[in-house]
Amino acid sequence: MTKKLIVANWKMNGTSEKVENDLNVYGANQITNSPNVVLALPNLYLHHASNLNANFKIASQDVSQFLGYGAYTGEISSRMLLDFKVKYAIIGHSERRQNLDESDILLAKKLENTLNSGIIPIFCIGEEQSVRDSGKYMEFLLAQLGLLTRLNAGIEELIIAYEPVWAVGTGKVPTGEQIAEIVELINSFVQKTLPRAKILVLYGGSVTAKNIAEILQVADIAGVLVGGASLRVDEFTAICAHA
Ligand code: 13P
């Protein structure tokens, strides 16, 4: 079995007690304490995670559009994240695109900041149910991917996560063929437009310990992005057996 990248997206969850407990458990378990396991924590808890010096990697769930340091109240820059050994940053999650109106212009700045500072973006794309139903989802996803060709930053390494909005938090999972169709779309886009970049493709949306094995059978899938199931230690540990 090839090793897969398992990324947990905790979203806006966790108390200091649960975070401390879960991180200690993950750090002490060989299955989860792997460099192929990535925990995207709320920023408040990154310090604790980086202090553990564990083998698992840490990610932020967002990054500021602004660089370095300065008068940007409430913002956390990529440089500050690097200070806490953050290796990856989720950018363009559908929840932020929808709830915070994140536009392509904003996402481009966030991607540029992370790429230019050496943090690997986990760039999320995905269509809503209505777009899937319209049959125009390939065009929609290509338009989201198109942003990657308009950046003022070289792309050496990048992760693209296909997260259909209709599968996020719904318990609905696309079929293997549906996922494979999009993985192929992403890979051919990348070959044409970013041939020198090292790009991994993940799937996200209602991944559980039960369906992970089937999802990972899809050709060329490099791993998964896990939301709800990553909050349950036993279930997430089972998922990480694939890391
Ligand atoms: P769920 O696994 O809860 O569907 O969330 C997926 C997700 O949004 C990961 O980024």
Side-chain angles (χ1 to χ4, degrees):
M1 193 174 71
T2 46
K3 302 252 177 236
K4 302 293 183 181
L5 193 68
I6 310 289
V7 184
N9 178 6
W10 287 10
K11 308 190 181 180
M12 195 175 71
N13 290 293
T15 59
S16 54
E17 198 183 340
K18 175 168 167 54
V19 171
E20 192 167 333
N21 173 71
D22 291 8
L23 291 177
N24 287 337
V25 170
Y26 292 149
N29 186 334
Q30 255 194 338
I31 294 175
T32 46
N33 194 26
S34 151
N36 295 319
V37 171
V38 180
L39 305 178
L41 313 173
N43 284 343
L44 270 180
Y45 304 123
L46 292 173
H47 191 208
H48 186 76
S50 71
N51 271 353
L52 283 179
N53 276 321
N55 293 331
F56 59 71
K57 302 296 174 195
I58 50 180
S60 62
Q61 298 173 13
D62 184 38
V63 64
S64 176
Q65 63 181 301
F66 303 109
L67 263 179
Y69 305 98
Y72 300 107
T73 303
E75 291 294 287
I76 306 280
S77 70
S78 49
R79 195 177 306 166
M80 297 165 107
L81 294 172
L82 270 180
D83 206 17
F84 284 88
K85 305 192 196 106
V86 168
K87 182 166 182 194
Y88 304 93
I90 297 176
I91 295 179
H93 194 284
S94 58
E95 286 154 10
R96 295 192 65 87
R97 289 182 192 255
Q98 286 181 344
N99 301 331
L100 295 148
D101 287 330
E102 290 202 341
S103 66
D104 272 5
I105 294 173
L106 179 75
L107 295 179
K109 288 186 191 147
K110 293 183 174 195
L111 284 164
E112 287 162 3
N113 287 353
T114 40
L115 288 165
N116 288 332
S117 61
I119 291 179
I120 301 169
I122 302 176
F123 181 56
C124 298
I125 61 165
E127 80 287 0
E128 286 169 36
Q129 184 74 60
S130 57
V131 177
R132 165 101 2 208
D133 293 344
S134 75
K136 298 248 190 305
Y137 54 94
M138 302 283 261
E139 293 88 330
F140 179 89
L141 294 169
L142 276 177
Q144 285 189 328
L145 287 169
L147 184 60
L148 297 173
T149 64
R150 303 192 297 274
L151 300 178
N152 287 318
I155 301 183
E156 265 174 45
E157 208 174 338
L158 175 81
I159 295 174
I160 299 174
Y162 171 52
E163 292 209 315
V165 180
W166 49 274
V168 172
T170 60
K172 280 199 237 169
V173 182
T175 62
E177 278 128 58
Q178 286 175 316
I179 300 174
E181 183 182 40
I182 308 305
V183 175
E184 233 181 279
L185 177 83
I186 296 171
N187 281 335
S188 79
F189 169 87
V190 164
Q191 270 162 24
K192 272 187 225 136
T193 59
L194 305 163
R196 280 184 294 281
K198 183 181 162 213
I199 304 225
L200 298 179
V201 182
L202 307 184
Y203 166 78
S206 297
V207 174
T208 63
K210 274 208 181 115
N211 61 26
I212 175 89
E214 202 180 328
I215 290 169
L216 290 179
Q217 273 174 13
V218 172
D220 296 328
I221 204 110
V224 287
L225 186 49
V226 189
S230 76
L231 297 171
R232 301 184 284 274
V233 172
D234 289 349
E235 181 161 15
F236 186 64
T237 304
I239 290 171
C240 289
H242 299 269

